[in-house]
Amino acid sequence: MNSFGQKLRFSTFGESHGKAIGCILDGVPAGLDINEEYIQSELDRRKPGKSEFETARKEADEVEILSGVFEDKSTGTPIAMVIYNTNQKSKDYSNIKDVFRPGHADFTYFHKYGIRDYRGGGRSSARETAARVAAGAIAKLMLAELDIEVFSGISEIAGIKSNVYDYEAAKKSIIYALDSKVEQTQKDAILKAKNEHDSVGGVSRVLVKGVPAGLGQPLYYKMDAVLADAMMGINAVKAVEIGDGILSASMLGSQNNDEIRASGFESNHAGGILGGISNGDDIVMNVYFKPTPSIFKEQHTVTTTNEEVDFALKGRHDPCVAIRGTVVCEAMTALVIADMLLLNMGSNMSGVSKYYK
Amino acid sequence: MNSFGQKLRFSTFGESHGKAIGCILDGVPAGLDINEEYIQSELDRRKPGKSEFETARKEADEVEILSGVFEDKSTGTPIAMVIYNTNQKSKDYSNIKDVFRPGHADFTYFHKYGIRDYRGGGRSSARETAARVAAGAIAKLMLAELDIEVFSGISEIAGIKSNVYDYEAAKKSIIYALDSKVEQTQKDAILKAKNEHDSVGGVSRVLVKGVPAGLGQPLYYKMDAVLADAMMGINAVKAVEIGDGILSASMLGSQNNDEIRASGFESNHAGGILGGISNGDDIVMNVYFKPTPSIFKEQHTVTTTNEEVDFALKGRHDPCVAIRGTVVCEAMTALVIADMLLLNMGSNMSGVSKYYK
Amino acid sequence: MNSFGQKLRFSTFGESHGKAIGCILDGVPAGLDINEEYIQSELDRRKPGKSEFETARKEADEVEILSGVFEDKSTGTPIAMVIYNTNQKSKDYSNIKDVFRPGHADFTYFHKYGIRDYRGGGRSSARETAARVAAGAIAKLMLAELDIEVFSGISEIAGIKSNVYDYEAAKKSIIYALDSKVEQTQKDAILKAKNEHDSVGGVSRVLVKGVPAGLGQPLYYKMDAVLADAMMGINAVKAVEIGDGILSASMLGSQNNDEIRASGFESNHAGGILGGISNGDDIVMNVYFKPTPSIFKEQHTVTTTNEEVDFALKGRHDPCVAIRGTVVCEAMTALVIADMLLLNMGSNMSGVSKYYK
Amino acid sequence: MNSFGQKLRFSTFGESHGKAIGCILDGVPAGLDINEEYIQSELDRRKPGKSEFETARKEADEVEILSGVFEDKSTGTPIAMVIYNTNQKSKDYSNIKDVFRPGHADFTYFHKYGIRDYRGGGRSSARETAARVAAGAIAKLMLAELDIEVFSGISEIAGIKSNVYDYEAAKKSIIYALDSKVEQTQKDAILKAKNEHDSVGGVSRVLVKGVPAGLGQPLYYKMDAVLADAMMGINAVKAVEIGDGILSASMLGSQNNDEIRASGFESNHAGGILGGISNGDDIVMNVYFKPTPSIFKEQHTVTTTNEEVDFALKGRHDPCVAIRGTVVCEAMTALVIADMLLLNMGSNMSGVSKYYK
């Protein structure tokens, strides 16, 4: 249950305070050019400590490929990648050892497993998402060969919404803001919350260009369902929307339907997916992140023996997890699209015959 | 790719205009009382043609159990259920034979499979969801033995929102409305759209009571991620929200965190799930349905040979798919929770030892 | 756990004394010609009651396709097939109601599920294999389009071995004997056992011609491992051998290695598989069936309350299950090869690029 | 396709000449005592270079646990283990760079992936099985808590068969011989072949004691079928036999049936499995290994461009892979049994209710 994907499948391991995190990426076609520098550059985009808008905690996040690549090409065998934890110093955990942190998974892990790994987020820490980004980088290399590209950016922070979606601007923004005009206001909101020992939520918007029509496996591995699974599984995500999803629920059919002309669709309310299958238009998705639960205000909570305490967390945490989270959204999206590309091969007999004859 | 679930797994078959639809439900523990009347009563809740707010098309939707039940108890073997299509008369399809209907999956199926099954919705028709409801009814029987219950209702139609969530009221409402005070306004909106040959969207709200803490398999079979997958995979669903999901994105951490007392959580912004694992509180979810794409206004579209035509659909369709859709949301939720219950067995060694010793 | 295969996946349902048996075959590429008569003809090869060498019990074994086929072509959606049980008359089960039959699965099912379905073999009956043969027939149709053919025959009965493997002779033999010269002796052995209320074992030999090199997914979905899984899962099979498997264990490397020339391998001790991947040569396999456990001699056994009794079974059973079993071996082999063909698509990037560009 | 198991699932990575091999073991119940020394001791049993009967190649095979264990207990999260390759010195591969070695997988990998990793066995090398042994050691720890134990030994080498199966003797024997009386003859056969630059085959016999009745998931995850899959997937294995499998095919039903008394079965021809489910008796299995294909005699072969050459391999290889292979058989068996134990939880409703109430 620590694996994701069908034909392109990755399995991750590791805890925030253990020796290492990493993953095995299985199903990468042989002969793909594996550019290690590119993988590292993707990890660097997610890496903490780059600015005042992120946690001050530093992790080198240097990835090492252990297998599956020979002479800079994938061999078809599993690609194992490991990232050693350099910042897992034996710090003092007495503050949180027996106390459940509100909004965290330590409460639920304890009830599920009966084990208390008190060293921090453990397996549920967003640190694990570094492994997803490494795997996603390889998926992106594969997509690039097919002229498919995944973009993302922050469309909303603390309720401050973007009016435009400029993915090139997002690439240059330290908070991946899609709208340069509201970026400063968004930054101010983050810092205000941070200074008040609080945190803010945000929304990531994901765009995929170049996806051919026909990807997605109905009825229970639909493109939109699997994207929803992938996004909702990212730490702190609480809602996922395809195309104009939420707005659609208050629209009329005649407004929401995307009419068709010989040159393509006249609009894209559907977000590029019909009946769970890509329609050839851009795939568009919004991913809603709750505010970081790790705040430094005093809160009501209980201990592992259910005694009530008032508790104020110490340490370093992102004031807005959506920022680094958007890089994870991109990675997971790339992995889903790449998996769907592989799964789609064999959908019809003419394709099978052409492949083998 | 027509199967869903891990330990409790169902596989469906059938098209709207074929001989039959149905499913195999695999993994039901032996010895469960199987009440066929209850299964049929659940199907009746989803059945079309019950009121003017639904399609006038009639289907008997009578389920027959072919296997897996002996003397009214499950035997542990696969439970196959079949529902014969009684309304698949050889009608005249010439109207739609070569024309893609805007907002439908016929465009994407054609691009994926290279086959044109012009007889209507085919596999992508919401008719298939009857099989999900039949399977979900058995999951509900299993949950009932563990004092877990799934509720749902319509919280919004055409932008008209409920102010209260009264699940008992929803049970009695012909449109499953959660708020009796806005129900008439919601009904009026449906009929207005219907009279104008148009359709409306809506939102289903799902509640699960009695789920023990600890269900959900991290990190890639999380409770919320699998629920998102299950809901987004339902016809016409375009967004899924856990707890206060969308609102959370504009909240502060100090507002959104659910503080804890010895007697339980002080609030439930999280919707009963932390880190992908149930926390023992109610599970709450909102599911956003787009308006029915099948409308009777003239629209721009193209033929299978990409010729532009103006097209007005004929026939009978729901003016608001969310209504019958909420019954499907319940069924899929029940199947997810039941699967998670079975998967969770074996999470810790003391449970395993107790089971076998 | 009632499903088999990855991309081509079938799920079966049904008990020997229930209403029906059947299956859903998922993953068949769209556009395959589905010849219903051919499917029925394969079922007829497995059907009981054709001769004195089989059980006298008669089953019509008429298959009905419920979905997934339109105008005699597969549509890419699940193909559901049902075979109603016509011979499940409410006979008198008092003889076996509480008694475990030696060599049968009723003992283990009772211990697993805590349920006693006393009506006969139930789910563990070889009757279920009719569904495999129906699914396998469609796999064979798919293989035929790629010039791959599966053959089989009986190479040994009651220790009487074939000296030649003549698959054309097997097609014409009522016991599917591979060696016409020993066929009569094999028949005599069957009838002798039958007359003495006993049964005999046998060996099925399977041959696949035309498999391209490169099929099989290492390291845990190898061609040979999956074939072993598929064969061992057939009722009464107790051993599986690839190529010269058993003999190989007593050979020298220099004898067992298949040397290679430009025109191909000089021998085929490997049975067409190296490292779990097909090498382009014929795939050869031997499948060992135990004698039918259902015999009519008195045997020691116990009741469901563990009381010792002496018990003589009544009824009608095959004196040699290997005969009809060889048809099931063919079907399962065809399903495995077809699945491997689909899975192999995407093994290398040049194939992926060619497919999409 | 580099993963094995359902609820207890391991995924391996690594090539013989890459940086490292290893695995992720997912699904280990939390709270299991993880004894690292025991895991290492199991690896030491498989380690090459212990005697003249094995390859002279030395590998330290030191395992490092990267995750999933805290304070010597499993936490329920994935257990990643890595074994760095210490003997992967950049040796001269010019001898084999373009030549297919008879009996090896290099031919089939090249045809599947279109990539030539000429550095030796690569992914298909038996070196990967060290990861299986590490995972299997943890499975054995879990089985031990439930009083289940897996044994194995060599029952036959070069056609020289054991007359007794003494598993305690096998533990002490450098070639894991089950019969001390024929051990020297078996050793002589190995050395004779080795001196003649040849190799020999052998048979491993596996025994599992203490398995409760009821394990195995019919009909497509049967205990015997999954064991066959697991064994056949081990390098060089060409046949698998449950109980008296091969002999059964020439027996009468009255000879082969295991009759039952109140105290248990009177014999165990079935090898402890009926209908794919364990019957509570010992599980017995024979695994047939072909002779090592890596021999040092000149053989016919072709190059990657299909040019005929005569080729004599150089290097160091096991003269009999069955010896170290038997340790891998044990590991895979332990993993299968442990998986089946976890999967079986939830088979009946009384067990589910007891677990949750």
Side-chain angles (χ1 to χ4, degrees):
Chain A
M1 295 302 178
N2 285 278
S3 302
F4 190 86
Q6 295 285 332
K7 272 214 84 174
L8 184 69
R9 187 173 181 85
F10 70 100
S11 304
T12 73
F13 66 86
E15 293 87 38
S16 58
H17 292 75
K19 282 189 188 171
I21 60 167
C23 67
I24 301 175
L25 181 61
D26 197 4
V28 177
L32 179 68
D33 289 317
I34 302 292
N35 180 337
E36 285 202 50
E37 282 175 31
Y38 175 72
I39 300 171
Q40 188 60 51
S41 73
E42 284 289 286
L43 279 165
D44 291 346
R45 291 176 66 213
R46 196 213 70 104
K47 195 168 67 173
K50 299 188 299 295
S51 79
E52 60 188 327
F53 306 104
E54 297 173 353
T55 173
R57 186 169 13 93
K58 299 246 184 224
E59 284 282 359
D61 280 1
E62 279 174 17
V63 67
E64 184 182 5
I65 295 178
L66 296 182
S67 65
V69 178
F70 180 56
E71 296 178 343
D72 295 322
K73 284 197 181 288
S74 62
T75 60
T77 66
I79 300 178
M81 295 185 280
V82 66
I83 300 166
Y84 283 91
N85 289 330
T86 56
N87 195 21
Q88 32 111 228
K89 54 172 183 267
S90 61
K91 70 172 186 179
D92 182 10
Y93 297 108
S94 55
N95 178 248
I96 56 165
K97 188 165 183 185
D98 300 319
V99 176
F100 294 126
R101 287 163 292 158
H104 271 86
D106 55 356
F107 180 91
T108 51
Y109 272 69
F110 182 74
H111 280 80
K112 184 176 191 73
Y113 295 113
I115 285 269
R116 177 82 182 158
D117 181 348
Y118 51 75
R119 296 169 300 169
R123 181 71 180 148
S124 73
S125 165
R127 172 137 189 74
E128 182 267 353
T129 60
R132 305 186 195 199
V133 171
I138 293 177
K140 283 182 169 187
L141 290 171
M142 185 179 145
L143 296 184
E145 296 231 348
L146 300 165
D147 303 321
I148 301 169
E149 194 170 358
V150 181
F151 303 86
S152 85
I154 294 293
S155 67
E156 180 181 331
I157 278 181
I160 303 156
K161 293 181 203 292
S162 301
N163 296 307
V164 296
Y165 307 124
D166 180 344
Y167 294 92
E168 292 307 316
K171 280 185 187 168
K172 292 169 202 149
S173 162
I174 191 73
I175 63 164
Y176 306 122
L178 283 163
D179 184 347
S180 307
K181 293 199 178 149
V182 302
E183 179 173 356
Q184 191 55 49
T185 322
Q186 291 173 330
K187 282 177 172 172
D188 293 344
I190 299 170
L191 293 182
K192 179 171 185 294
K194 184 181 173 186
N195 290 335
E196 294 169 355
H197 304 304
D198 214 328
S199 63
V200 294
V203 181
S204 163
R205 188 175 178 91
V206 180
L207 170 75
V208 195
K209 294 188 87 71
V211 177
L215 302 194
Q217 302 295 97
L219 287 179
Y220 297 101
Y221 208 67
K222 287 178 170 176
M223 177 69 90
D224 41 10
V226 178
L227 284 171
D229 178 358
M231 296 303 119
M232 194 68 93
I234 297 172
N235 307 50
V237 171
K238 298 298 283 186
V240 183
E241 176 186 25
I242 306 291
D244 291 348
I246 292 157
L247 190 62
S248 290
S250 58
M251 285 165 77
L252 294 170
S254 57
Q255 295 167 325
N256 187 63
N257 278 350
D258 300 310
E259 296 185 61
I260 323 177
R261 295 285 77 179
S263 56
F265 292 92
E266 294 188 318
S267 55
N268 188 15
H269 302 294
I273 302 173
L274 284 172
I277 304 175
S278 62
N279 66 10
D281 211 334
D282 293 347
I283 290 180
V284 180
M285 191 167 43
N286 290 301
V287 186
Y288 295 77
F289 288 82
K290 70 176 185 182
T292 324
S294 298
I295 57 173
F296 309 105
K297 291 189 160 175
E298 198 166 84
Q299 298 175 94
H300 291 172
T301 190
V302 296
T303 65
T304 52
T305 53
N306 209 32
E307 286 173 72
E308 298 188 344
V309 291
D310 287 348
F311 167 78
L313 186 68
K314 291 165 189 164
R316 295 166 297 180
H317 293 281
D318 285 272
C320 177
V321 287
I323 297 172
R324 298 201 288 131
T326 197
V327 182
V328 184
C329 292
E330 273 182 48
M332 291 300 293
T333 301
L335 287 158
V336 170
I337 307 283
D339 190 19
M340 292 295 183
L341 276 162
L342 295 175
L343 282 168
N344 181 57
M345 296 175 77
S347 293
N348 55 63
M349 206 56 213
S350 64
V352 175
S353 293
K354 197 180 74 175
Y355 192 93
Y356 283 108
K357 280 187 169 174
Chain B
M1 294 303 177
N2 286 278
S3 302
F4 189 86
Q6 295 285 331
K7 271 212 83 173
L8 184 69
R9 187 173 181 84
F10 69 99
S11 304
T12 74
F13 65 87
E15 294 86 38
S16 58
H17 291 75
K19 282 189 187 171
I21 59 168
C23 67
I24 301 175
L25 180 61
D26 197 5
V28 177
L32 180 68
D33 288 318
I34 302 292
N35 181 337
E36 285 202 49
E37 282 174 29
Y38 175 72
I39 300 170
Q40 188 59 53
S41 73
E42 284 289 288
L43 279 165
D44 291 346
R45 291 176 65 213
R46 195 213 71 102
K47 196 168 65 175
K50 299 188 298 296
S51 78
E52 60 189 326
F53 307 103
E54 298 173 352
T55 172
R57 187 168 11 91
K58 299 246 184 225
E59 283 283 356
D61 279 2
E62 279 174 18
V63 67
E64 185 182 4
I65 296 179
L66 296 181
S67 66
V69 178
F70 180 55
E71 296 178 340
D72 295 324
K73 284 196 182 289
S74 62
T75 60
T77 65
I79 300 178
M81 294 185 280
V82 66
I83 299 166
Y84 282 91
N85 290 330
T86 55
N87 196 20
Q88 30 113 228
K89 53 172 186 267
S90 60
K91 68 172 188 180
D92 181 10
Y93 298 107
S94 55
N95 178 247
I96 57 166
K97 189 166 181 183
D98 300 318
V99 177
F100 294 125
R101 288 163 291 159
H104 272 86
D106 55 357
F107 180 91
T108 51
Y109 273 69
F110 182 74
H111 280 80
K112 183 175 193 73
Y113 296 113
I115 285 268
R116 177 83 180 159
D117 180 348
Y118 51 75
R119 296 169 300 168
R123 181 71 181 148
S124 73
S125 164
R127 173 137 190 74
E128 182 266 355
T129 60
R132 306 186 195 201
V133 171
I138 293 177
K140 284 183 167 187
L141 290 172
M142 186 181 145
L143 296 184
E145 296 230 348
L146 301 165
D147 303 322
I148 300 168
E149 195 171 356
V150 181
F151 303 85
S152 85
I154 294 294
S155 67
E156 181 181 329
I157 280 181
I160 303 156
K161 292 180 203 290
S162 301
N163 296 307
V164 295
Y165 306 125
D166 180 344
Y167 294 92
E168 293 307 316
K171 279 185 188 169
K172 292 169 201 148
S173 162
I174 192 74
I175 62 164
Y176 306 121
L178 284 162
D179 184 348
S180 307
K181 291 196 179 152
V182 303
E183 180 173 355
Q184 191 56 51
T185 323
Q186 291 173 330
K187 284 177 172 172
D188 293 345
I190 298 170
L191 292 183
K192 180 171 184 291
K194 185 180 171 184
N195 290 334
E196 293 171 356
H197 304 304
D198 214 328
S199 63
V200 294
V203 181
S204 162
R205 187 174 178 90
V206 181
L207 169 74
V208 196
K209 294 189 87 72
V211 177
L215 302 195
Q217 302 295 98
L219 288 177
Y220 296 102
Y221 209 66
K222 287 177 169 176
M223 177 69 90
D224 42 10
V226 178
L227 285 171
D229 177 357
M231 296 303 118
M232 194 69 92
I234 297 171
N235 307 50
V237 172
K238 298 298 283 187
V240 184
E241 176 186 24
I242 306 292
D244 291 347
I246 292 157
L247 189 61
S248 290
S250 58
M251 285 164 77
L252 294 170
S254 57
Q255 296 168 323
N256 187 62
N257 278 351
D258 299 309
E259 297 185 61
I260 323 176
R261 294 288 74 178
S263 56
F265 292 93
E266 293 187 319
S267 54
N268 188 15
H269 302 294
I273 301 173
L274 285 171
I277 304 174
S278 62
N279 67 9
D281 211 334
D282 292 347
I283 290 180
V284 180
M285 191 166 43
N286 290 302
V287 185
Y288 295 76
F289 287 82
K290 71 176 185 184
T292 323
S294 298
I295 56 172
F296 309 105
K297 290 188 161 177
E298 199 168 82
Q299 297 175 93
H300 291 172
T301 189
V302 296
T303 65
T304 52
T305 53
N306 209 32
E307 287 171 72
E308 299 188 346
V309 290
D310 287 347
F311 167 78
L313 186 66
K314 290 163 191 166
R316 294 164 298 177
H317 293 281
D318 285 272
C320 177
V321 286
I323 297 172
R324 298 202 289 133
T326 197
V327 182
V328 186
C329 292
E330 274 183 47
M332 292 301 292
T333 300
L335 287 157
V336 170
I337 307 283
D339 191 19
M340 292 295 183
L341 277 162
L342 294 175
L343 283 168
N344 181 58
M345 296 175 78
S347 292
N348 54 64
M349 205 55 212
S350 63
V352 175
S353 293
K354 197 181 74 176
Y355 192 93
Y356 281 107
K357 282 189 169 173
Chain C
M1 294 303 179
N2 285 279
S3 302
F4 189 86
Q6 296 285 331
K7 273 214 81 173
L8 185 70
R9 187 173 181 84
F10 69 101
S11 304
T12 74
F13 66 87
E15 294 87 38
S16 58
H17 291 73
K19 281 189 190 172
I21 60 168
C23 66
I24 301 176
L25 181 61
D26 197 4
V28 177
L32 180 68
D33 288 318
I34 303 292
N35 181 336
E36 285 202 50
E37 282 175 31
Y38 175 71
I39 300 171
Q40 188 60 52
S41 74
E42 284 290 287
L43 279 165
D44 291 346
R45 290 176 65 213
R46 195 214 71 102
K47 196 168 63 174
K50 299 188 300 295
S51 77
E52 61 188 326
F53 306 104
E54 299 173 353
T55 173
R57 185 166 14 89
K58 298 250 182 217
E59 285 281 0
D61 280 1
E62 279 174 17
V63 68
E64 185 183 3
I65 295 179
L66 296 182
S67 67
V69 177
F70 181 54
E71 296 178 342
D72 295 324
K73 284 198 182 286
S74 63
T75 61
T77 65
I79 301 177
M81 294 185 279
V82 65
I83 300 166
Y84 283 92
N85 289 330
T86 56
N87 196 20
Q88 32 115 227
K89 54 173 183 267
S90 61
K91 69 172 188 181
D92 181 10
Y93 298 110
S94 56
N95 178 246
I96 58 165
K97 189 166 181 184
D98 301 318
V99 176
F100 294 127
R101 287 162 292 159
H104 273 85
D106 55 358
F107 179 91
T108 52
Y109 272 69
F110 183 74
H111 280 80
K112 183 175 194 73
Y113 295 113
I115 285 269
R116 176 81 181 159
D117 181 348
Y118 50 74
R119 296 169 299 170
R123 181 70 180 150
S124 73
S125 164
R127 173 135 190 75
E128 183 267 353
T129 60
R132 308 186 193 200
V133 171
I138 294 178
K140 284 183 169 186
L141 289 172
M142 184 180 146
L143 296 184
E145 296 231 348
L146 300 164
D147 304 322
I148 301 169
E149 194 171 359
V150 181
F151 303 84
S152 85
I154 294 293
S155 68
E156 180 180 331
I157 279 180
I160 302 156
K161 293 181 204 290
S162 301
N163 296 308
V164 296
Y165 307 124
D166 180 345
Y167 295 91
E168 293 306 318
K171 281 184 187 169
K172 291 170 204 149
S173 161
I174 192 73
I175 62 163
Y176 306 121
L178 284 162
D179 183 348
S180 308
K181 291 197 179 152
V182 301
E183 180 173 354
Q184 191 56 50
T185 323
Q186 291 174 329
K187 284 176 171 173
D188 293 344
I190 299 170
L191 293 182
K192 179 170 184 295
K194 184 181 172 185
N195 291 334
E196 293 170 355
H197 306 303
D198 214 327
S199 63
V200 294
V203 181
S204 162
R205 187 175 179 91
V206 181
L207 169 75
V208 196
K209 294 191 86 75
V211 178
L215 302 193
Q217 302 294 97
L219 287 178
Y220 296 102
Y221 209 67
K222 287 178 170 176
M223 178 68 91
D224 41 9
V226 178
L227 285 171
D229 178 356
M231 296 303 120
M232 194 68 93
I234 298 171
N235 306 49
V237 171
K238 298 297 284 185
V240 183
E241 176 185 26
I242 306 291
D244 290 349
I246 293 157
L247 189 62
S248 289
S250 58
M251 285 165 76
L252 295 170
S254 57
Q255 295 167 324
N256 187 63
N257 280 350
D258 299 310
E259 297 185 60
I260 322 176
R261 295 287 76 179
S263 56
F265 292 93
E266 294 188 318
S267 53
N268 187 16
H269 302 294
I273 302 173
L274 285 172
I277 303 174
S278 63
N279 67 10
D281 211 334
D282 293 347
I283 291 181
V284 180
M285 190 165 44
N286 291 301
V287 186
Y288 295 76
F289 288 81
K290 70 177 185 182
T292 323
S294 299
I295 57 173
F296 308 105
K297 290 187 161 178
E298 197 166 84
Q299 297 175 94
H300 290 173
T301 188
V302 295
T303 66
T304 52
T305 53
N306 209 32
E307 286 172 74
E308 300 187 344
V309 291
D310 287 349
F311 167 78
L313 185 69
K314 290 163 190 165
R316 294 165 298 179
H317 294 279
D318 284 271
C320 178
V321 287
I323 297 172
R324 297 201 289 131
T326 197
V327 182
V328 185
C329 292
E330 274 183 47
M332 291 300 294
T333 300
L335 287 158
V336 169
I337 306 283
D339 191 20
M340 292 295 183
L341 277 162
L342 295 175
L343 283 168
N344 181 57
M345 296 175 76
S347 292
N348 55 64
M349 205 56 213
S350 63
V352 176
S353 293
K354 197 180 73 175
Y355 192 91
Y356 282 107
K357 283 190 170 173
Chain D
M1 295 301 177
N2 285 279
S3 302
F4 189 86
Q6 296 285 333
K7 273 213 82 172
L8 184 69
R9 187 171 181 85
F10 69 100
S11 304
T12 74
F13 66 86
E15 293 86 39
S16 59
H17 292 75
K19 281 190 188 170
I21 60 168
C23 67
I24 300 176
L25 181 61
D26 197 4
V28 177
L32 180 68
D33 289 317
I34 303 293
N35 181 337
E36 284 202 49
E37 283 175 28
Y38 175 72
I39 301 171
Q40 187 60 54
S41 74
E42 284 288 288
L43 279 165
D44 290 347
R45 291 176 65 213
R46 195 213 71 102
K47 196 168 64 175
K50 299 189 300 297
S51 77
E52 62 188 324
F53 306 104
E54 298 172 354
T55 173
R57 186 167 14 92
K58 299 248 184 221
E59 284 282 356
D61 279 0
E62 280 174 17
V63 67
E64 183 182 7
I65 296 180
L66 296 181
S67 66
V69 178
F70 180 55
E71 297 178 341
D72 294 326
K73 283 198 182 288
S74 62
T75 61
T77 65
I79 300 177
M81 295 185 279
V82 65
I83 300 166
Y84 283 91
N85 289 329
T86 56
N87 196 21
Q88 30 117 221
K89 52 171 186 268
S90 60
K91 69 172 189 181
D92 181 9
Y93 298 108
S94 55
N95 177 245
I96 58 166
K97 190 166 181 183
D98 301 319
V99 176
F100 294 126
R101 288 162 293 157
H104 272 87
D106 55 357
F107 180 90
T108 52
Y109 272 68
F110 182 73
H111 280 80
K112 184 176 192 72
Y113 296 112
I115 285 269
R116 176 84 182 159
D117 180 350
Y118 50 75
R119 296 169 300 168
R123 181 70 181 149
S124 73
S125 164
R127 172 135 191 75
E128 182 267 353
T129 60
R132 306 185 194 202
V133 171
I138 293 177
K140 284 182 168 186
L141 290 171
M142 185 179 145
L143 296 184
E145 296 230 348
L146 300 164
D147 304 322
I148 300 169
E149 194 171 358
V150 181
F151 303 84
S152 85
I154 293 294
S155 68
E156 181 181 331
I157 280 180
I160 303 156
K161 293 180 203 291
S162 301
N163 296 308
V164 296
Y165 307 124
D166 180 345
Y167 294 92
E168 293 307 315
K171 281 185 188 170
K172 292 169 203 150
S173 162
I174 191 73
I175 61 164
Y176 306 121
L178 283 162
D179 184 348
S180 307
K181 292 199 178 149
V182 303
E183 180 173 353
Q184 191 55 51
T185 324
Q186 291 173 330
K187 284 177 171 171
D188 293 346
I190 299 170
L191 293 183
K192 180 170 184 292
K194 184 181 173 184
N195 290 336
E196 292 170 356
H197 305 303
D198 214 326
S199 62
V200 294
V203 181
S204 161
R205 187 175 179 90
V206 180
L207 169 75
V208 194
K209 294 189 87 73
V211 178
L215 301 194
Q217 302 295 95
L219 288 179
Y220 298 102
Y221 208 67
K222 287 177 169 176
M223 177 69 91
D224 42 9
V226 178
L227 285 170
D229 178 358
M231 297 303 120
M232 194 69 92
I234 297 171
N235 308 47
V237 171
K238 299 297 282 187
V240 183
E241 175 186 26
I242 307 291
D244 290 348
I246 292 158
L247 189 61
S248 290
S250 58
M251 285 164 76
L252 295 170
S254 57
Q255 296 167 324
N256 187 62
N257 279 350
D258 299 309
E259 296 184 61
I260 323 176
R261 295 287 76 178
S263 55
F265 293 92
E266 293 188 320
S267 54
N268 188 15
H269 302 294
I273 301 173
L274 285 171
I277 304 175
S278 62
N279 66 10
D281 210 334
D282 294 347
I283 291 180
V284 180
M285 193 167 40
N286 290 301
V287 186
Y288 294 78
F289 288 82
K290 71 177 184 182
T292 323
S294 299
I295 57 173
F296 309 105
K297 290 188 159 177
E298 198 166 83
Q299 298 174 93
H300 291 172
T301 189
V302 296
T303 65
T304 53
T305 52
N306 209 31
E307 285 173 74
E308 299 188 345
V309 290
D310 287 348
F311 167 77
L313 185 68
K314 290 164 190 166
R316 294 164 299 178
H317 293 281
D318 285 274
C320 177
V321 286
I323 297 172
R324 297 201 292 131
T326 197
V327 181
V328 185
C329 292
E330 274 183 47
M332 291 300 293
T333 300
L335 286 157
V336 170
I337 307 282
D339 191 21
M340 291 295 182
L341 276 162
L342 295 175
L343 282 169
N344 181 56
M345 295 175 78
S347 292
N348 55 64
M349 205 58 212
S350 63
V352 176
S353 294
K354 198 181 74 176
Y355 192 92
Y356 282 107
K357 284 193 166 170

